[in-house]
Amino acid sequence: MAPDHVIDGAPSIRLIVSGAGQCGSLALSSLYGSETREWETTMPAGTVADVFCPHCRADLTGGWDCPECGAPMASMVVGAGGMLQVCSRTGCRGRMLDLF
């Protein structure tokens, strides 16, 4: 979470993305269902990006494929007990929230 970067009135989720010769940060709204994203860089629609943690640089992609387009999902642990997965393909709205 990025409490210093507010989107939709709540702290955003900050990620590092790399693909199509571009690398930069991506901030996602932490409100489930919101489509609000703020890109530091411009990636062409349809690019399958590598997604990394901005703190430790761990690769977050792999494990599951997007049910909408088949690209790898990026997985993040939800502090309250769950897993958020978002599609790594730019422009795809695929996401899943599993609560434990």
Side-chain angles (χ1 to χ4, degrees):
M1 299 295 292
D4 61 327
H5 191 126
V6 175
I7 298 178
D8 294 335
S12 64
I13 300 168
R14 187 168 301 167
L15 303 168
I16 302 296
V17 292
S18 175
Q22 303 286 329
C23 185
S25 69
L26 167 63
L28 303 173
S29 173
S30 61
L31 300 180
Y32 190 76
S34 173
E35 297 290 326
T36 307
R37 308 160 188 239
E38 295 178 5
W39 293 84
E40 180 182 71
T41 186
T42 304
M43 278 190 204
T47 300
V48 176
D50 294 315
V51 183
F52 303 94
C53 172
H55 304 287
C56 69
R57 305 289 190 222
D59 188 352
L60 301 177
T61 53
W64 295 96
D65 290 333
C66 177
E68 294 189 28
C69 76
M73 301 287 276
S75 301
M76 295 154 272
V77 173
V78 176
M83 181 76 63
L84 172 65
Q85 298 182 53
V86 295
C87 184
S88 62
R89 186 182 309 273
T90 57
C92 182
R93 296 179 178 174
R95 68 190 95 174
M96 293 186 286
L97 178 62
D98 295 320
L99 300 174
F100 309 138

